[in-house]
Amino acid sequence: MNWANRLTVGRLFFTFIFVVALSSGWACGKTTGLLLFLLAGITDYADGKIARHFNMITDFGKLMDPLVDKIMIASAFICLVPLNAIPAWAVIVIISREFLITGLRLLALSKGQVLPAEKMGKHKTAWQIVTVVYFLGVLSFREIHHHPGPLPDGWYWDARSGWGGLALIACALGFTLYSGCGYLWKNRALLRTG
């Protein structure tokens, strides 16, 4: 296993610890979750750079890198729902897209093809990461200032929050839907023959 693939597997490990930290009652659980998520995001950037620069692109990496991205993002969004950071319906849309694309990749794999991640998918992932980091940052800030519980209900809709949360949710959803539809359209031949 090359270094790029090790970083991918490491990102999966960081994701599991992130979920434990964010779901626990630890004194600094949300801040720990933020740091772990940032670390996982850095490995996502690094494994792609290493794979391309040192020509370490493998079928394992093509399949597992986007799959681990999906696990990382889905875990973060799911953990943020009970903390009132993100509405459940938005998370359902995001995760549904990820399941559809994973299903398409499995269909391609059954036909001997490996569908790599595309540039628009990377943009989508970047916006989703920025959205998660924003909300984790807000939760961490509240935790440091001794407000460890969930955000006030509907906080992201509140004009007093500067609409930052709402704007990021809208961007993440927009890129999620656009990239998903584009990926399905580009690979529509697989769906016809499936």
Side-chain angles (χ1 to χ4, degrees):
M1 181 177 286
N2 64 39
W3 276 106
N5 291 341
R6 285 179 185 153
L7 284 172
T8 299
V9 172
R11 187 161 72 257
L12 186 60
F13 177 72
F14 288 136
T15 300
F16 291 145
I17 301 172
F18 159 80
V19 170
V20 171
L22 207 59
S23 304
S24 72
W26 296 351
C28 292
K30 293 169 185 69
T31 303
T32 302
L34 171 62
L35 295 174
L36 286 167
F37 190 83
L38 288 170
L39 188 58
I42 290 166
T43 65
D44 182 31
Y45 175 78
D47 67 11
K49 280 283 192 190
I50 289 170
R52 286 186 294 275
H53 185 73
F54 294 103
N55 198 23
M56 294 180 176
I57 297 170
T58 62
D59 284 345
F60 177 88
K62 286 180 188 175
L63 184 66
M64 290 305 292
D65 182 59
L67 185 60
V68 172
D69 283 350
K70 288 173 182 9
I71 293 169
M72 181 180 85
I73 292 297
S75 299
F77 278 123
I78 289 168
C79 287
L80 286 171
V81 170
L83 297 172
N84 288 336
I86 295 179
W89 65 265
V91 174
I92 290 168
V93 169
I94 288 167
I95 292 175
S96 296
R97 183 266 187 208
E98 304 305 342
F99 275 122
L100 285 170
I101 299 306
T102 300
L104 183 65
R105 283 201 174 105
L106 290 173
L107 179 63
L109 199 59
S110 72
K111 297 178 181 301
Q113 301 175 42
V114 176
L115 299 180
E118 293 193 342
K119 195 170 186 178
M120 187 53 67
K122 288 290 184 184
H123 286 300
K124 173 267 305 176
T125 301
W127 274 103
Q128 289 176 348
I129 288 172
V130 167
T131 303
V132 169
V133 167
Y134 172 81
F135 285 109
L136 288 174
V138 169
L139 289 163
S140 174
F141 180 82
R142 284 171 49 86
E143 183 177 68
I144 290 167
H145 290 86
H146 308 294
H147 300 286
L151 291 165
D153 193 31
W155 175 84
Y156 43 83
W157 302 105
D158 190 343
R160 289 171 296 174
S161 69
W163 298 91
L166 181 60
L168 284 172
I169 291 169
C171 285
L173 282 172
F175 275 98
T176 296
L177 292 170
Y178 182 75
S179 66
C181 290
Y183 203 78
L184 288 170
W185 178 255
K186 182 177 179 181
N187 297 289
R188 63 191 180 280
L190 269 174
L191 297 172
R192 279 200 292 266
T193 60

